[in-house]
Amino acid sequence: MQFSIHKAQTSIFTFGIIMVGQGLFLVIAPNVLLQLLGVEEAKDYWVRFVGVALLVLSIYYIRSSFENLRSFFFSTVLGRIFQFVLIFILYLVYQFSPVLVGFSFFEFLTGLWTFYCLKVEK
């Protein structure tokens, strides 16, 4: 039996690993990351809570990549596009750091990468 990994699996796995890094950073040293993003220092638990949520979500991404759960892959594309649109609207309304929009745009681009991979492999 030969193991082969598809491009969509690779994109989901890669995004899962990125989420692990983001989550660990937010749990262990959130203010370092927030300072780099131009966001005021966190003085309570919320940012670590977000880090834990990212770590949990990364499990879904990584595990689904091993199982080649294409319906999940497509759902992540929709979610990453939706989150970018919502973050951009919130940016326009609340004028928070444009660096956060940049991070959101990165997720949007990775969603497009996954979408492209799904279409190519169809």
Side-chain angles (χ1 to χ4, degrees), residues 100-114:
L100 295 174
V101 177
F103 267 86
S104 180
F105 186 67
F106 173 76
E107 290 193 19
F108 172 77
L109 291 177
T110 61
L112 292 181
W113 173 34
T114 301

Side-chain angles (χ1 to χ4, degrees), residues 71-119:
S71 61
F72 178 80
F73 299 173
F74 187 73
S75 294
T76 72
V77 170
L78 297 176
R80 288 183 271 174
I81 291 170
F82 175 72
Q83 69 83 31
F84 173 70
V85 170
L86 188 56
I87 292 293
F88 189 72
I89 290 169
L90 290 172
Y91 165 75
L92 293 175
V93 171
Y94 295 105
Q95 300 297 305
F96 52 73
S97 172
V99 177
L100 295 174
V101 177
F103 267 86
S104 180
F105 186 67
F106 173 76
E107 290 193 19
F108 172 77
L109 291 177
T110 61
L112 292 181
W113 173 34
T114 301
F115 182 73
Y116 172 77
C117 292
L118 287 167
K119 290 299 180 186

Side-chain angles (χ1 to χ4, degrees), residues 7-23 53-65 72-73 75-81 83-84 102-115:
K7 290 179 180 169
Q9 286 176 281
T10 301
S11 73
I12 292 294
F13 179 79
T14 302
F15 192 71
I17 296 300
I18 290 168
M19 289 176 74
V20 168
Q22 292 171 341
L54 282 173
L55 288 170
V56 170
L57 288 171
S58 73
I59 294 168
Y60 302 155
Y61 277 76
I62 293 168
R63 182 67 186 158
S64 71
S65 74
F72 178 80
F73 299 173
S75 294
T76 72
V77 170
L78 297 176
R80 288 183 271 174
I81 291 170
Q83 69 83 31
F84 173 70
F103 267 86
S104 180
F105 186 67
F106 173 76
E107 290 193 19
F108 172 77
L109 291 177
T110 61
L112 292 181
W113 173 34
T114 301
F115 182 73

